[in-house]
């Protein structure tokens, strides 16, 4: 295994590898609505069930985040990404023949979800491991290159659906997904260069060691002479006291053994719990700010993922557009998306903008686009402008959502922190996502569903500021306690 340096050398091949993997396995998730529209209509699947399928897939993928930390410590990200990519390809191939709600849940939600849950932590960890100072630029290049897919894929998928229907299209996408194995093979394990230091012997320490040895011999001889006299004088007393001690020990022996067994069991449990906590870095859950960050991201990601996947259904209902026109609008959105992925990270690197602030800006931008769509969604030019706004917000969010946790958590705790974030995303996705579809079914319109989605996205900002305020208040109280204790000591 060759040793590497961050931000140079093979690090840029990792960007290529992650791009190949994303381009291969993401189309099934990015164009969920476009691929399954006809099949869901033919099966009579409602908007609530459509949202449930989408978010169950994300929940299963995110639920594997709990084991992603230990898995990354046990295996290299090359092996993990290889297994995940193969699982996704098999799952898409099986989904092609799923013609019922149950079979779609088993194939798309469970099998494909497991594959995504395995591969995504491997690619993100590989990228943040190989890059330290240029992490923003590397992530920008990765998501920019990944964004090339959504420009071409909607038109390609629309053409495939016309010629091969849903089954043939999914089989072709399964073949594309197998190319993720090529990207996985490029994820070479990282091992930093080690700096070896040679420690030489010291004359002063050697002489002091000899002095200590000589003094220790003298002291032991003196102790031996004293012990001989003590043994002769106290031999009789020791025998009498030993007999009394033995009688008392016989009486207390059952209680002592019972207490010893209880203490040993509790110590074993404490050791097991401490090992689990240390291995999975559960001490992160004590950090209020980290909890607020992952909760806010989980809520906003669930809302944004639901909206991005349901765009074909929204445009079909609100604007009355056909599938070819919808595919063209999705390509326009992808063009602005990739432009934002390329330009915003470079601007952020020069201006020193924080990932957290840019993520908040992307949420506000997507909320603005949804609001305009609900009011003037009947006008084609307005829909094009909304596609551009949403694309810019989506591209900005795609770059910086992956950098918020690495900027906050040290590298050694990053796998566990990302794993906890994935679990949180999964739980919130399955809890919140279907509610958006339920709002549509109850109101029989996507207008109310879009407003509800915007409220969920903006709630992330509220959670983050509440978490920051609580952390600031806690630090202030700690400083005051330390100052009071120092004054009392004086």
């Amino acid at each position: 295994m060759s040793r590497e340096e961050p931000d140079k050398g093979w690090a840029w091949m990792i960007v290529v590898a992650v791009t190949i993997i994303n381009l291969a396995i993401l189309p099934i998730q990015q164009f969920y609505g476009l691929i399954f529209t006809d099949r869901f209509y033919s099966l009579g699947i409602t908007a609530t069930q459509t949202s449930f399928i989408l978010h169950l897939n994300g929940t299963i993928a995110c639920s594997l985040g709990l084991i992603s930390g230990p898995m990354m410590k046990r295996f290299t990200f090359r092996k993990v990404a290889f297994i995940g990519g193969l699982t996704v390809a098999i799952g898409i191939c099986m989904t092609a023949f799923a013609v019922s709600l149950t079979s779609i849940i088993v194939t798309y939600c469970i099998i494909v979800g497991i594959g995504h849950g395995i591969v995504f932590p491997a690619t993100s960890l590989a990228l943040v491991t190989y890059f330290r100072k240029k992490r923003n630029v590397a992530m920008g290049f990765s998501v920019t290159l990944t964004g090339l897919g959504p420009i071409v894929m909607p038109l390609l998928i629309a053409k495939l659906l016309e010629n091969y229907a849903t089954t043939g299209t999914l089989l072709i996408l399964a073949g594309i997904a197998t190319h993720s194995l090529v990207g996985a093979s490029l994820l070479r394990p990282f091992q930093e260069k080690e700096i070896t230091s040679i420690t030489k012997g010291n004359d002063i320490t050697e002489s002091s060691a000899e002095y200590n040895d000589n003094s220790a011999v003298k002291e032991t001889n003196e102790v031996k002479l004293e012990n001989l006299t003590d043994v002769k004088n106290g031999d009789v007393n020791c025998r009498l006291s030993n007999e009394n001690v033995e009688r008392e020990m016989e009486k207390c022996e059952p209680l002592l053994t019972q207490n010893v067994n209880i203490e040993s069991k509790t110590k074993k449990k404490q050791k097991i719990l401490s090992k689990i906590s240390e291995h999975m870095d559960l001490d992160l859950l004590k950090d209020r700010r980290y909890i607020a960050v992952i909760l806010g991201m989980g809520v906003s990601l669930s809302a944004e993922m639901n909206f991005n996947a349901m765009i074909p259904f929204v445009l079909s209902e609100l604007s009355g557009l056909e599938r070819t026109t919808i595919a063209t609008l999705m390509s326009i959105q992808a063009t602005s998306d990739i432009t934002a992925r390329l330009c915003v990270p470079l601007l952020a690197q020069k201006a020193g903008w924080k990932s957290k602030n840019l993520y908040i800006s992307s949420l506000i931008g997507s909320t603005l686009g949804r609001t305009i769509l609900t009011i003037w969604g009947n006008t084609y030019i307005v829909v094009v402008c909304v596609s551009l706004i949403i694309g810019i917000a989506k591209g900005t969010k795609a770059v910086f959502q992956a950098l918020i946790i690495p900027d906050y958590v040290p590298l050694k705790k990053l796998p566990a922190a990302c794993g906890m974030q994935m679990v949180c995303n999964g739980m919130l996705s399955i809890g919140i996502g279907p509610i958006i579809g339920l709002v549509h079914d109850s109101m029989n319109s996507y207008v109310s569903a879009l407003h509800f989605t915007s409220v969920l996205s903006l709630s992330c900002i509220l959670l983050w500021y509440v978490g920051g305020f609580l952390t600031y208040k806690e630090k202030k109280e700690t400083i005051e306690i330390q100052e009071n204790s120092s004054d009392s000591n004086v």
Side-chain angles (χ1 to χ4, degrees):
M1 189 184 298
S2 59
R3 306 196 183 278
E4 306 291 341
E5 292 184 21
D7 301 306
K8 59 177 69 174
W10 195 260
W12 296 105
M13 285 301 298
I14 298 298
V15 174
V16 176
V18 172
T19 302
I20 293 172
I21 293 172
N22 289 337
L23 288 173
I25 67 173
L26 280 179
I28 185 67
Q29 192 177 48
Q30 290 173 333
F31 308 106
Y32 165 82
L34 191 63
I35 295 168
F36 292 103
T37 301
D38 292 341
R39 178 163 292 185
F40 285 175
Y41 278 139
S42 64
L43 296 175
I45 295 176
T46 63
T48 304
Q49 292 171 335
T50 302
S51 295
F52 176 76
I53 293 169
L54 171 67
H55 289 282
L56 182 59
N57 170 270
T59 299
I60 292 173
C62 294
S63 63
L64 296 179
L66 194 62
I67 63 171
S68 64
M71 187 168 57
M72 291 300 160
K73 293 179 180 178
R74 177 67 179 83
F75 304 103
T76 60
F77 32 70
R78 172 188 282 172
K79 294 179 181 178
V80 175
F82 193 91
I83 295 171
L86 186 62
T87 305
V88 171
I90 293 172
I92 296 173
C93 187
M94 295 176 67
T95 306
F97 303 100
V99 290
S100 65
L101 179 62
T102 305
S103 58
I104 291 172
I105 289 173
V106 172
T107 54
Y108 177 73
C109 297
I110 297 178
I111 298 177
V112 176
I114 289 173
H116 284 159
I118 292 174
V119 73
F120 287 147
T123 55
S124 61
L125 182 64
L127 203 60
V128 299
T129 301
Y130 267 88
F131 287 93
R132 309 293 167 82
K133 296 180 181 179
K134 298 179 181 179
R135 189 176 288 173
N136 285 0
V137 177
M139 186 64 70
F141 277 122
S142 175
V143 297
T144 299
L145 294 173
T146 302
L148 293 172
I151 295 177
V152 181
M153 288 303 294
L155 301 174
L156 176 62
I157 290 174
K159 201 67 178 177
L160 291 174
L161 289 170
E162 290 179 4
N163 296 325
Y164 303 105
T166 306
T167 301
T169 302
L170 286 170
L171 289 174
I172 293 172
L173 291 177
I176 294 173
T178 57
H179 290 77
S180 63
L181 305 181
V182 178
S185 64
L186 296 175
L187 296 178
R188 192 162 68 184
F190 179 83
Q191 190 170 358
E192 287 187 278
K193 290 185 177 181
E194 297 176 355
I195 301 173
T196 57
S197 57
I198 302 171
T199 56
K200 297 181 179 180
N202 198 329
D203 295 334
I204 298 173
T205 55
E206 289 175 359
S207 60
S208 62
E210 291 176 359
Y211 174 77
N212 290 332
D213 291 338
N214 294 329
S215 62
V217 171
K218 291 179 181 179
E219 288 177 358
T220 50
N221 291 330
E222 291 175 357
V223 169
K224 286 180 181 179
L225 293 174
E226 292 177 357
N227 288 339
L228 288 173
T229 56
D230 290 339
V231 167
K232 290 179 181 179
N233 293 329
D235 189 26
V236 178
N237 294 328
C238 286
R239 289 178 183 176
L240 294 174
S241 60
N242 286 336
E243 290 178 359
N244 295 327
V245 170
E246 287 176 359
R247 292 173 186 173
E248 296 295 329
M249 288 293 292
E250 288 176 358
K251 295 178 182 179
C252 300
E253 187 173 359
L255 295 174
L256 289 172
T257 54
Q258 187 177 0
N259 291 332
V260 169
N261 291 331
I262 293 171
E263 289 179 359
S264 62
K265 289 180 180 179
T266 54
K267 287 181 179 179
K268 286 181 180 178
K269 290 181 180 179
Q270 289 176 354
K271 286 181 180 179
I272 293 171
L273 292 174
S274 63
K275 285 182 179 179
I276 293 173
S277 177
E278 183 180 355
H279 194 60
M280 302 182 71
D281 292 322
L282 296 179
D283 58 325
L284 287 168
L285 298 176
K286 297 179 182 178
D287 191 341
R288 293 181 182 178
R289 192 175 178 185
Y290 172 74
I291 296 296
V293 167
I294 62 173
L295 283 176
M297 288 188 68
V299 173
S300 62
L301 285 173
S302 299
E304 295 295 328
M305 181 180 69
N306 188 90
F307 171 69
N308 291 329
M310 303 292 283
I311 283 177
F313 298 97
V314 174
L315 295 178
S316 177
E317 183 179 302
L318 293 181
S319 306
L321 301 176
E322 297 180 354
R323 183 169 58 194
T324 306
T325 308
I326 292 172
T328 304
L329 289 171
M330 294 182 73
S331 296
I332 293 172
Q333 177 185 315
T335 304
S336 62
D337 181 348
I338 195 172
T339 303
R341 296 183 187 210
L342 183 62
C343 298
V344 175
L346 297 175
L347 293 174
Q349 185 78 12
K350 292 182 179 180
W353 296 337
K354 293 183 179 180
S355 302
K356 188 176 179 179
N357 296 333
L358 287 165
Y359 184 81
I360 291 173
S361 301
S362 70
L363 296 179
I364 296 172
S366 59
T367 300
L368 178 63
R370 282 190 293 268
T371 305
I372 296 173
L373 186 63
T374 57
I375 300 173
W376 297 290
N378 295 326
T379 308
Y380 182 74
I381 297 175
V382 173
V383 175
V384 172
C385 294
V386 168
S387 299
L388 292 172
I389 294 171
I390 292 174
I392 293 171
K394 185 180 177 182
T396 305
K397 184 173 78 279
V399 175
F400 294 99
Q401 69 183 6
L403 297 175
I404 292 173
I405 298 297
D407 287 346
Y408 184 75
V409 178
L411 185 61
K412 63 179 181 179
K413 293 187 177 183
L414 187 57
C418 293
M420 292 178 195
Q421 183 197 5
M422 287 181 64
V423 173
C424 180
N425 291 345
M427 294 173 64
L428 292 172
S429 178
I430 196 63
I432 294 173
I435 299 176
I436 301 174
L438 190 62
V439 170
H440 169 269
D441 291 339
S442 61
M443 299 293 181
N444 200 22
S445 174
Y446 271 110
V447 174
S448 301
L450 291 178
H451 288 313
F452 182 66
T453 301
S454 298
V455 171
L456 291 175
S457 294
L458 295 178
S459 65
C460 171
I461 303 172
L462 178 63
L463 284 170
W464 282 4
Y465 279 105
V466 169
F469 175 74
L470 291 175
T471 305
Y472 170 76
K473 188 176 179 181
E474 186 177 353
K475 287 181 179 179
K476 189 176 180 181
E477 290 176 354
T478 305
I479 292 171
E480 289 177 355
I481 292 170
Q482 290 177 354
E483 289 178 352
N484 292 331
S485 62
S486 62
D487 291 339
S488 60
N489 291 329
V490 174

